Amino acid sequence: MKYADLIRISEALKLCPPEFSVSEQRREFLLRFDKLFGEQCSEFSSELGRFYHRQVDRVLEEVAAYGGSAPRFWKLYSSGFLIKDAGKVIAFDINNGCVHLNGRASVFLKPSHISKLAALIDECYVTHSHSDHISGELCDALVRRKKLLVMPDECRFSWRVPRAVAAEKLNCPGIYTYLNWQGTAAGGLDCAMYHLTLSNKKTVWVRGDIYHAEGFMGCMDFLDANKLGVDYVFATHYSTSGPEPIPFLDEKYHCRFIPIHEWEFSHRKPGKPGPATQCFEELYRVYNNCYQQNRAQILSWGESIALD
């Protein structure tokens, strides 16, 4: 993998920035990332790590400078993203990057990134305790700065963040939380769903990771009971039982989609070639119906899109 190749693709993508519209150019460039990211040992490549650090720096600079009227979304690694809305920066599932059990990968946040993120972020929401959805270092930095940090109580205990707010007890205007189980009868953990109303009255639905029938339909029942609509869905499409989440949400809300959990190296055997969880080619297949109707877009690291 060559750093120069990664930069060329990233610079080419700037000429066709993300919008909720069909772009064959964007598709072509993201599939080129698939080829490079899919190389053997790519997650350990210093070139890929250097590229990720560049993209994080881009996000930090853009978020700090952004003063537009429309809420805006920025993509980080896997499930992590930021929204800046009316001057407030809201974070979801910011993680340290790809960390393998048998050796650290190159795609990770540097201490300087953690410090700058903690200064920028006003509110941070964590869906559950898996390490690709939370950064212990960022949590500590946010708590020290007295920023709002929300996560399930089980997550507070397992990550030892007692000063975080339990999602079960959150009382914050414009934000609804619903906690249920992620897993099967054999085991699992608590996972929070967040429903957020932005300043432009658009609504956002976020829930991390894999769905099963009871958990997913519990979320839907909660939305119905509270008469909540959904304009934007930031989620993964994987499920182990029950309805396929993306077609179900599409039919129910006719909403817009931005996939999260893309190119999750932690779910690929370390050092092996081939696609990781939700490579871009896979996402185009899954979201194609919504994409062709200008209601879905796939973002690479560091890219942003207006939520208007």
Side-chain angles (χ1 to χ4, degrees):
M1 181 185 300
K2 294 181 179 179
Y3 180 72
D5 293 336
L6 294 165
I7 296 301
R8 273 194 288 270
I9 297 171
S10 179
E11 291 302 307
L13 279 169
K14 287 183 180 179
L15 302 178
C16 46
E19 296 177 348
F20 288 100
S21 61
V22 175
S23 172
E24 288 305 315
Q25 275 190 312
R26 280 192 57 79
R27 184 173 185 274
E28 177 186 341
F29 294 138
L30 292 177
L31 291 177
R32 288 186 191 176
F33 272 143
D34 270 359
K35 185 175 181 180
L36 293 173
F37 289 4
E39 291 180 1
Q40 184 174 4
C41 293
S42 57
E43 68 270 35
F44 300 108
S45 164
S46 60
E47 287 82 0
L48 188 61
R50 181 183 171 196
F51 175 70
Y52 182 62
H53 293 156
R54 175 185 185 268
Q55 298 306 94
V56 175
D57 289 335
R58 169 184 170 179
V59 168
L60 292 167
E61 292 173 6
E62 289 184 2
V63 171
Y66 182 69
S69 58
R72 195 163 189 89
F73 174 108
W74 280 265
K75 191 75 187 67
L76 293 171
Y77 176 71
S78 184
S79 303
F81 64 90
L82 301 171
I83 296 173
K84 190 169 186 179
D85 181 23
K88 181 167 67 175
V89 179
I90 308 165
F92 288 88
D93 281 4
I94 302 296
N95 52 80
N96 276 353
C98 178
V99 182
H100 285 300
L101 296 177
N102 64 341
R104 184 153 191 151
S106 65
V107 181
F108 61 91
L109 294 178
K110 297 188 292 186
S112 60
H113 294 146
I114 297 289
S115 178
K116 290 176 181 177
L117 279 167
L120 277 175
I121 292 169
D122 296 294
E123 300 175 3
C124 183
Y125 298 88
V126 177
T127 59
H128 63 287
S129 60
H130 286 166
S131 61
D132 53 345
H133 292 260
I134 186 171
S135 162
E137 290 85 350
L138 179 59
C139 288
D140 291 341
L142 290 169
V143 166
R144 285 196 299 271
R145 289 175 175 268
K146 295 181 169 50
K147 303 293 183 72
L148 178 63
L149 175 61
V150 181
M151 62 186 69
D153 201 39
E154 178 269 338
C155 188
R156 293 171 68 239
F157 176 79
S158 61
W159 282 86
R160 295 175 176 82
V161 195
R163 286 193 283 171
V165 176
E168 300 92 316
K169 299 177 182 177
L170 181 67
N171 183 13
C172 190
I175 297 182
Y176 287 82
T177 63
Y178 174 69
L179 199 72
N180 61 11
W181 189 252
Q182 177 189 299
T184 66
L189 46 75
D190 290 337
C191 188
M193 177 214 82
Y194 298 106
H195 183 281
L196 172 71
T197 300
L198 302 173
S199 63
N200 60 359
K201 307 304 180 184
K202 299 293 185 182
T203 54
V204 167
W205 186 83
V206 183
R207 187 182 183 279
D209 249 357
I210 299 170
Y211 311 99
H212 65 292
E214 181 183 357
F216 181 73
M217 294 313 299
C219 292
M220 297 301 102
D221 291 343
F222 176 85
L223 294 177
D224 289 344
N226 287 278
K227 299 180 180 179
L228 298 172
V230 176
D231 295 307
Y232 289 94
V233 168
F234 309 138
T236 179
H237 60 267
Y238 292 117
S239 62
T240 57
S241 63
E244 291 295 321
I246 302 310
F248 186 95
L249 289 162
D250 184 26
E251 182 176 355
K252 186 174 178 67
Y253 299 110
H254 199 68
C255 49
R256 288 176 167 179
F257 294 87
I258 298 177
I260 60 172
H261 225 297
E262 89 301 329
W263 265 104
E264 172 58 81
F265 290 106
S266 301
H267 293 283
R268 183 178 76 174
K269 281 193 174 182
K272 298 295 182 181
T277 300
Q278 292 190 188
C279 64
F280 296 121
E281 182 180 16
E282 176 185 339
L283 293 173
Y284 277 112
R285 289 197 307 269
V286 172
Y287 290 87
N288 186 59
N289 180 61
C290 304
Y291 177 68
Q292 295 300 328
Q293 296 179 32
N294 301 325
R295 290 188 295 106
Q297 190 52 269
I298 301 163
L299 276 65
S300 65
W301 301 333
E303 288 195 302
S304 71
I305 192 169
L307 305 179
D308 50 19

